[in-house]
Amino acid sequence: MSLQRRIEEKLTQAFHPERLMVINESDQHAGHQPEFDGGGETHMRVRIVSSAFTGMSRVARHRAINDLLKPELDAGLVIHESKSIPEERQAFTFYGKRFTVMKRVK
């Protein structure tokens, strides 16, 4: 199972998100380190909308995701997160493009 898929499953099980995107951005970091060619699964962007975050501060949401993904982070994964509750976000902008539909999780 890929790291990206494992992250999707962990987030789905823990937060039962209404919307979830896990995007592998490793290729965008090629050349940042002399030995890194941008291959593999080293950098992920997580966009998650879940009512499980209701009542939590942004810091608490961040900590909840980091705690869940601690083994991956300890192994060197870098994640960029955007977390919200349904009432906070119906659309988002990603690399200059506006998205209104994200992967629905059942």
Side-chain angles (χ1 to χ4, degrees), residues 38-56:
E41 296 180 301
T42 58
H43 295 74
M44 299 284 175
R45 179 168 301 275
V46 173
R47 294 197 178 267
I48 183 169
V49 178
S50 174
S51 57
F53 297 133
T54 301
M56 295 172 71

Side-chain angles (χ1 to χ4, degrees), residues 3 41-44 69-79:
L3 176 60
E41 296 180 301
T42 58
H43 295 74
M44 299 284 175
L69 300 178
K70 185 172 183 351
E72 290 82 4
L73 293 168
D74 288 347
L77 174 69
V78 176
I79 59 173

Side-chain angles (χ1 to χ4, degrees), residues 5 8-9 12 17-22 47 49 92 101-106:
R5 184 71 190 131
E8 288 171 350
E9 286 186 4
T12 299
E18 294 181 21
R19 297 183 189 105
L20 174 65
M21 290 180 75
V22 178
R47 294 197 178 267
V49 178
F92 66 93
V101 178
M102 294 171 30
K103 177 181 175 185
R104 283 219 172 269
V105 178
K106 296 176 182 153

Side-chain angles (χ1 to χ4, degrees), residues 24-76:
N24 185 347
E25 295 184 338
S26 301
D27 62 328
Q28 297 175 20
H29 298 273
H32 291 185
Q33 298 290 328
E35 66 281 352
F36 183 63
D37 66 359
E41 296 180 301
T42 58
H43 295 74
M44 299 284 175
R45 179 168 301 275
V46 173
R47 294 197 178 267
I48 183 169
V49 178
S50 174
S51 57
F53 297 133
T54 301
M56 295 172 71
S57 70
R58 291 190 182 270
V59 171
R61 297 173 192 180
H62 184 79
R63 287 181 179 150
I65 291 174
N66 283 357
D67 289 346
L68 179 69
L69 300 178
K70 185 172 183 351
E72 290 82 4
L73 293 168
D74 288 347

